[in-house]
Amino acid sequence: GGFKRMYSEGIVFANATLNYATSETAPGYATLSTGSYPSTSGILSNDWYDPRTLKRVYSVGDSTANPVEGEGGGYSPKYLIVSALGDWLKEESITSKVVSVASKDRAAILFGGKRPNYAFWYDKKTGHLVTSSYYVKTLPEWAKKFNAANWIDTNLPPAWNKLKSFSDYEGEGPDDLQGEMVWGVGTAFPHQFVPNQRNDQILTSPWGDMLTLDFARAAIDGEKLGKRAATDLLCVALSCTDYVGHSFGPNSHEIHDHLLRLDIALGTFMSEVEKTIGVGNVLFVLSADHAVMPLPEYLSNVKKESARRILADKEIHPQIAALDTLLQRKLKVSEWLISRNGFLNYAAAKKAKSGEEKLERMVRDSLLKIDGIVDVYFRRELTNKKTPNRP
């Protein structure tokens, strides 16, 4: 299918690196589309806390971006502060079109850059592909027609079953494994699609990516992409691999089956696009935005390696919040000292006549007592060219 074609007919970069810390969707797509790392793109993570306001910032959140024809809204590339490939293309060729499609809002938006013609993402409330007023005031007719057809009603099967015989999956771990997402009564195949849950369930299945590819087909036809006297850019983010990987792990029967089905879907899509636009008139580029770690339960129960699951929200963050309260009492200040995403309030410490390095020592000594925290580094150490005396 598609993976074999990419590998055997294309140029393969097998030694690529992810040369920044936060391997998440938003910085992944921002880096892919702009060539800029998070330190300059403005997209630090999927979300972050503003150290000035102590409020959560979502990477593509925008309260000024309104719904379009009653759906979508709320998102734009507001925080992306550099231009992207699609923007450069449109600067050079004013008739070129840029269309970005994904199941995730942050993938569609950051892939498309600052000023694509369209960016569409999946809305699980409606099962439709939606956009915001940042891009358009009204939906194009082809998008309205696609949404009106209710893809899920027509294309989603009653259950996700294995594509091949069970013996083809034996190289992985067991199908039923603690730590995998419980779907229905357990973690093993088959996975039933429940009528009032299908809009959500489809994201953790191959059919979410198939919906995205079908919408991309509609965009090609509706916008005449590649069929005019201009170079067009179509960005398609197949984000369900991410959801399946996180939910079941990269060694699961589910990710195995998902990739088998995605391979077929990609191969079909590529052949159809070439047939429509002409062989030699289209360039396919495939990349991941990030990867996924093995489930700790797989490592410990199947591989017999030392691993365990740490739930940061339950086991780590409450202890850090308690530490912050304790340090405030010690330094006799009424302001926060440690923010949720690792900023320290040096100004408050200074008011308490405590130096920056003293605050850091107190924070490090306390954090190292929390089970699950191995080490603590501060900015001054990370920017210091001298090698530290610990790993």
XYZ file of all heavy atoms in Angstrom, residues 1 39 42 48-49 87 102 113 146-147 151 161 164 174 202 207 213 218 259 262 275 280 324 332 340 364 382-383:
232
model
N 0.812 -1.214 0.000
C 0.000 0.000 0.000
C 0.840 1.255 0.000
O 1.927 1.301 -0.560
N 11.093 27.420 20.297
C 11.685 28.630 20.884
C 11.454 29.865 20.031
O 11.534 30.988 20.531
C 13.191 28.425 21.102
O 13.819 28.078 19.879
N 6.639 30.196 18.650
C 5.570 30.624 19.561
C 4.726 29.471 20.065
O 3.929 29.640 20.981
N -0.030 25.503 27.571
C 0.935 25.936 28.582
C 0.280 26.958 29.497
O -0.798 27.465 29.206
C 2.192 26.529 27.921
C 1.949 27.695 27.010
C 1.893 29.016 27.331
C 1.716 27.637 25.593
N 1.648 29.781 26.227
C 1.538 28.965 25.140
C 1.641 26.603 24.648
C 1.287 29.280 23.801
C 1.389 26.915 23.322
C 1.223 28.234 22.904
N 0.952 27.236 30.602
C 0.474 28.261 31.533
C 1.297 29.517 31.335
O 2.524 29.481 31.322
C 0.600 27.780 32.983
C -0.491 26.829 33.379
C -0.445 25.497 32.991
C -1.586 27.247 34.124
C -1.444 24.613 33.333
C -2.600 26.373 34.477
C -2.518 25.057 34.080
O -3.510 24.194 34.417
N 2.233 29.726 3.496
C 2.312 31.183 3.381
C 3.355 31.594 2.347
O 3.141 32.523 1.569
C 2.651 31.807 4.746
C 1.665 31.416 5.823
O 0.453 31.467 5.552
O 2.099 31.044 6.923
N -7.617 17.901 9.131
C -7.172 16.981 10.181
C -8.330 16.645 11.103
O -9.339 17.354 11.138
C -6.035 17.607 10.997
N -0.501 26.900 8.516
C 0.196 28.178 8.588
C -0.716 29.338 8.938
O -1.809 29.164 9.480
N -20.414 17.572 1.906
C -19.757 16.461 2.612
C -20.367 16.273 3.999
O -20.702 15.161 4.400
C -18.257 16.719 2.726
C -17.489 15.569 3.349
C -16.919 14.600 2.552
C -17.342 15.464 4.730
C -16.220 13.530 3.109
C -16.659 14.405 5.298
C -16.100 13.436 4.485
N -20.501 17.352 4.740
C -21.057 17.266 6.097
C -22.506 16.805 6.092
O -22.940 16.038 6.962
C -20.916 18.606 6.812
C -19.502 18.890 7.274
O -18.717 17.971 7.506
N -19.159 20.161 7.400
N -20.983 11.269 7.074
C -20.031 10.203 6.737
C -20.117 9.030 7.703
O -20.070 7.871 7.297
C -18.618 10.780 6.717
C -17.567 9.877 6.137
C -17.087 9.891 4.861
C -16.845 8.830 6.819
N -16.116 8.925 4.696
C -15.947 8.260 5.886
C -16.862 8.319 8.115
C -15.085 7.214 6.213
C -16.009 7.273 8.437
C -15.140 6.727 7.502
N -13.129 -4.832 13.871
C -12.577 -6.181 13.941
C -11.203 -6.225 13.296
O -10.834 -5.317 12.537
C -13.505 -7.178 13.216
C -14.778 -7.446 13.997
O -14.750 -8.094 15.034
N -15.904 -6.925 13.506
N -6.923 -9.083 9.572
C -6.327 -10.378 9.224
C -6.630 -11.400 10.316
O -7.269 -11.096 11.321
C -4.813 -10.223 9.030
C -4.455 -9.317 7.848
C -2.970 -9.385 7.542
C -2.645 -8.589 6.283
N -1.227 -8.734 5.902
N -0.049 -9.584 24.215
C -1.409 -10.139 24.224
C -2.426 -9.080 23.805
O -2.209 -7.885 24.008
C -1.604 -10.559 25.683
C -0.655 -9.710 26.459
C 0.529 -9.497 25.575
N -14.761 7.057 17.003
C -14.127 6.982 15.684
C -12.693 7.513 15.703
O -11.846 7.079 14.931
C -14.970 7.750 14.631
C -14.470 7.434 13.214
C -14.994 9.234 14.910
C -15.301 8.077 12.125
N -11.087 4.475 11.219
C -12.104 5.177 10.446
C -12.043 6.687 10.593
O -12.501 7.419 9.721
C -13.486 4.613 10.783
C -13.676 3.286 10.118
C -14.190 3.044 8.881
C -13.295 2.020 10.655
N -14.147 1.683 8.607
C -13.610 1.032 9.684
C -12.719 1.604 11.849
C -13.366 -0.318 9.872
C -12.471 0.246 12.044
C -12.795 -0.696 11.068
N -9.358 11.443 5.066
C -8.934 11.258 3.681
C -10.081 11.510 2.707
O -9.882 12.079 1.626
C -8.362 9.852 3.480
C -6.964 9.613 4.058
C -6.618 8.128 4.028
C -5.913 10.417 3.295
N -12.719 15.381 -1.165
C -13.731 16.390 -1.481
C -13.093 17.761 -1.705
O -13.528 18.533 -2.574
C -14.763 16.460 -0.361
N -2.422 0.347 11.439
C -1.437 0.653 10.407
C -1.656 -0.177 9.152
O -1.403 0.298 8.038
C -0.019 0.460 10.951
C 0.391 1.501 12.002
C 1.723 1.150 12.643
C 0.467 2.904 11.389
N -4.471 1.721 7.542
C -4.016 3.030 7.071
C -3.139 2.872 5.824
O -3.200 3.692 4.900
C -3.245 3.751 8.182
C -2.735 5.149 7.858
C -3.872 6.075 7.437
C -1.985 5.743 9.049
N -4.273 9.615 -10.431
C -5.188 9.415 -11.558
C -5.917 10.708 -11.893
O -6.140 11.039 -13.066
C -6.195 8.317 -11.222
C -7.091 7.915 -12.384
C -7.996 6.755 -11.994
C -8.912 6.371 -13.162
N -9.822 5.251 -12.782
N 3.284 12.237 -11.847
C 4.353 13.201 -12.070
C 3.941 14.632 -11.772
O 4.787 15.531 -11.719
N 4.628 24.270 47.161
C 4.540 25.707 46.919
C 3.968 26.421 48.143
O 4.489 27.454 48.588
C 3.659 25.960 45.687
C 3.642 27.424 45.295
O 4.722 28.031 45.246
O 2.548 27.960 45.044
N 7.668 33.548 53.909
C 6.726 34.583 54.356
C 6.279 35.480 53.188
O 6.351 36.717 53.251
C 7.339 35.429 55.478
C 7.636 34.595 56.714
C 8.274 35.406 57.810
C 8.548 34.511 59.017
N 9.331 35.184 60.066
N 2.591 25.802 37.499
C 2.277 24.445 37.038
C 3.264 23.933 35.984
O 3.589 22.763 35.933
C 0.843 24.437 36.481
C 0.398 23.133 35.855
C 0.251 22.033 36.891
N -0.218 20.804 36.279
C -1.484 20.410 36.255
N -2.406 21.153 36.817
N -1.825 19.282 35.687
N 14.640 22.384 44.472
C 15.215 21.103 44.042
C 15.224 20.084 45.184
O 14.819 18.923 44.995
C 16.631 21.297 43.519
C 17.320 19.957 43.211
C 18.785 20.086 42.833
N 18.933 20.502 41.475
C 19.721 21.494 41.064
N 20.406 22.197 41.952
N 19.825 21.786 39.799
N 20.804 24.807 32.209
C 20.585 24.379 30.826
C 21.300 25.284 29.834
O 21.710 24.845 28.761
C 19.087 24.344 30.513
C 18.260 23.352 31.337
C 16.778 23.499 30.995
C 18.700 21.922 31.080
N 21.439 26.570 30.169
C 22.095 27.507 29.245
C 23.599 27.617 29.507
O 24.310 28.245 28.731
C 21.461 28.903 29.364
O 21.540 29.349 30.721
C 19.999 28.875 28.914
